[in-house]
């Protein structure tokens, strides 16, 4: 009797595949790969965000560059509190949510 599929490890299951199937899986993973910053920028765009205020730096630079590439205006600030207050003021004046803040921990 054959053991259930769940009892085999993933590496055992992958090694049992024919080479053309492994090549197809590798191509699919490569094609479907999206950087995290691009996913965040796309989510912000779909939520109606057109302006991002942030303190630029290493933890969030990929998000900011992806936002700029997506057409979201990136505004740099010198302090996180100033970014939050500016975004709140812009949303208040606009009457809707169109500004967001991207900050690091």
């Amino acid at each position: 009797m054959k053991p259930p599929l769940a009892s085999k490890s993933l590496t055992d299951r992958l090694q049992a595949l024919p080479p053309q199937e492994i090549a197809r899986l590798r191509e699919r993973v490569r094609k479907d790969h999206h950087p995290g910053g691009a996913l965040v920028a796309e989510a912000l765009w779909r939520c109606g965000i057109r302006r991002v205020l942030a303190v630029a730096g290493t933890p969030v630079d990929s998000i900011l560059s992806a936002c700029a590439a997506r057409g979201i205006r990136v505004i740099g600030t010198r302090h996180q509190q100033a970014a939050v207050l500016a975004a709140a003021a812009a949303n208040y004046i606009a009457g809707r949510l169109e500004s967001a803040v991207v900050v690091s921990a």
Side-chain angles (χ1 to χ4, degrees):
M1 187 162 103
K2 220 174 167 182
L5 191 59
S7 67
K8 286 186 168 183
S9 71
L10 180 60
T11 54
D12 291 339
R13 289 169 43 197
L14 287 173
Q15 288 174 351
L17 291 175
Q20 64 269 19
E21 186 69 20
I22 292 173
R24 192 175 67 82
L25 284 172
R26 283 186 178 147
E27 182 60 33
R28 184 175 170 195
V29 167
R30 193 172 322 143
K31 186 177 78 171
D32 292 343
H33 176 73
H34 300 287
L39 295 174
V40 172
E42 180 66 25
L44 289 171
W45 179 262
R46 288 183 182 196
C47 288
I49 302 298
R50 301 298 177 252
R51 193 177 308 110
V52 168
L53 292 97
V55 179
T58 303
V60 296
D61 60 349
S62 64
I63 296 172
L64 299 180
S65 61
C67 285
R70 185 68 178 93
I72 299 172
R73 183 175 178 198
V74 178
I75 302 171
T77 61
R78 294 180 183 245
H79 195 274
Q80 293 173 347
Q81 184 178 6
V84 171
L85 291 173
N91 290 333
Y92 179 77
I93 290 170
R96 63 185 181 277
L97 183 65
E98 64 179 25
S99 298
V101 179
V102 175
V103 295
S104 61

